[in-house]
Amino acid sequence: MVNINKMDFLISRQVKEFIVWIQKILDAPGSFYHHYTMKKPAVGWSCDSIYSAFENYNWKFRTTDPESGNKVTGSSFTESTKLFSKLYRLLNISIESEDCEKCTECCLSILEWGGVISKNDKKVKGLGNDICKYFKKVRIQLNDYNFCIENSEDFIIMNSGFAKIYSLLLDDFIIYDGRVGAALGLLVRKYCEDTELDKVPCELEFAWGRGKETTYITSQCNKRNPSSEKYKFPELLSNPKRHLENNLRANWLLKEIIDTTQSKFNSLDKRIQLRALEAALFMIGYDVNEPAPYSANLSEW
């Protein structure tokens, strides 16, 4: 686990050099090829730049609107963004007004959207009448510019489900899950290979999370493991502090990429630029195992 604050992270030479490297593959056609076959639905997916991964975003969701009680469905980035805009407003209003019931409903809706309601619903409901106070406390701590994981308190609940809630509670807080971690690991590994580094810089050592498999597969062979023989990346392994620390570094890195580079991401509404980059990583990270040789004929996928 990397114990570093935001300022030290952003002035790191390795972080600065990685950002220079990644700018070349943000939106240039043919700069970053990646493809795989999804399980559900069983279709091929591909991209030829990080931005095209965002353009090919797909997440089929079904959740409950905490305001109307109606079911909301969708699969596109635009549909998720529209829902998030509403949930952001409702969640933060409920916290400020200390409406614990509405706050709970908003959290459950977010978890349902992300397909991670199992077990997390009990954690949310377990906060009871302290739920609004809890999120206010989390907001204060994680908004501290000098926040360091070593000094964090153990009260913060952290996993891929709560990362989704925090992304609507805090500004510039991405949803760090196993897929986003896998994609960051893949990109960092390619950076290390291109620049012939001896090892993965600690600042860029992002943890990945296992993908669901029908049969047991070792960590070494898991489709979300971006490691190579030379460059190794850790696994999240339901470690709350590791997850939070990785999420914070990813927040800082992606925001710095958006703020200091020029690409098609900057042409998007400023409010969704960071979310769009996160969405691109989410799609890339579905499977980061080395695929078969890429075919230029995208119709084959």
Side-chain angles (χ1 to χ4, degrees):
M1 190 161 58
V2 182
N3 185 35
I4 191 170
N5 62 33
K6 184 176 182 179
M7 181 178 294
D8 291 339
F9 178 82
L10 293 178
I11 64 175
S12 162
R13 178 177 62 85
Q14 294 290 4
V15 170
K16 289 179 177 293
E17 290 181 358
F18 175 75
I19 293 174
V20 171
W21 175 87
I22 202 172
Q23 178 163 357
K24 301 171 186 176
I25 62 173
L26 284 175
D27 64 359
S31 59
F32 174 73
Y33 286 119
H34 190 62
H35 68 275
Y36 51 76
T37 300
M38 300 179 73
K39 285 187 176 180
K40 292 182 180 180
V43 295
W45 182 91
S46 65
C47 68
D48 69 352
S49 70
I50 295 176
Y51 189 81
S52 77
F54 157 66
E55 292 180 308
N56 296 336
Y57 176 85
N58 183 282
W59 175 251
K60 190 174 182 179
F61 68 86
R62 177 182 173 85
T63 191
T64 305
D65 183 331
E67 191 168 46
S68 67
N70 296 329
K71 285 295 181 181
V72 182
T73 61
S75 60
S76 70
F77 180 81
T78 299
E79 288 166 326
S80 281
T81 300
K82 182 180 179 181
L83 174 66
F84 277 8
S85 179
K86 186 172 192 176
L87 290 176
Y88 171 86
R89 175 176 58 82
L90 293 174
L91 176 66
N92 285 279
I93 288 175
S94 69
I95 292 171
E96 294 311 311
S97 62
E98 297 191 354
D99 185 340
C100 296
E101 183 178 353
K102 184 60 67 177
C103 181
T104 299
E105 290 175 359
C106 289
C107 291
L108 294 178
S109 180
I110 295 166
L111 295 171
E112 192 178 6
W113 167 86
V116 287
I117 198 163
S118 177
K119 297 183 181 179
N120 282 311
D121 56 345
K122 294 180 181 178
K123 293 180 186 293
V124 167
K125 293 175 182 177
L127 292 169
N129 291 330
D130 291 325
I131 190 168
C132 295
K133 293 178 182 177
Y134 168 79
F135 284 120
K136 286 180 179 179
K137 193 175 179 182
V138 169
R139 183 192 285 151
I140 290 171
Q141 181 151 108
L142 296 187
N143 274 338
D144 184 351
Y145 190 86
N146 294 312
F147 176 82
C148 195
I149 194 67
E150 188 178 66
N151 303 324
S152 68
E153 299 179 41
D154 291 332
F155 78 87
I156 299 179
I157 303 169
M158 190 61 191
N159 56 38
S160 64
F162 271 73
K164 293 170 176 60
I165 297 173
Y166 299 150
S167 76
L168 296 181
L169 174 73
L170 303 157
D171 292 333
D172 303 329
F173 195 99
I174 73 161
I175 299 173
Y176 191 100
D177 62 7
R179 288 172 64 159
V180 170
L184 281 170
L186 174 66
L187 293 169
V188 170
R189 194 195 79 211
K190 289 183 178 295
Y191 160 71
C192 292
E193 291 168 347
D194 285 356
T195 54
E196 299 181 337
L197 296 182
D198 291 333
K199 61 180 181 179
V200 177
C202 62
E203 298 93 336
L204 301 174
E205 196 176 67
F206 289 102
W208 57 278
R210 289 170 176 259
K212 293 181 180 179
E213 303 286 358
T214 53
T215 57
Y216 175 75
I217 294 178
T218 63
S219 294
Q220 185 177 1
C221 299
N222 192 276
K223 66 183 180 183
R224 302 266 165 86
N225 187 351
S227 303
S228 65
E229 187 174 339
K230 184 175 182 179
Y231 302 113
K232 306 294 184 183
F233 295 86
E235 192 173 352
L236 282 172
L237 293 174
S238 301
N239 183 323
K241 280 205 169 184
R242 174 180 286 177
H243 198 141
L244 178 58
E245 186 272 329
N246 275 263
N247 209 137
L248 292 172
R249 276 190 292 125
N251 295 344
W252 304 335
L253 178 62
L254 269 58
K255 185 66 166 62
E256 191 72 0
I257 290 171
I258 290 294
D259 289 347
T260 62
T261 63
Q262 287 299 317
S263 71
K264 290 180 180 178
F265 285 106
N266 302 108
S267 67
L268 301 172
D269 186 310
K270 194 170 182 64
R271 293 170 295 181
I272 65 169
Q273 290 174 8
L274 187 63
R275 184 74 72 189
L277 181 53
E278 169 210 303
L281 296 178
F282 176 77
M283 293 306 299
I284 292 167
Y286 176 85
D287 188 340
V288 297
N289 281 349
E290 287 299 327
Y294 180 82
S295 170
N297 184 2
L298 297 182
S299 65
E300 294 180 11
W301 289 89

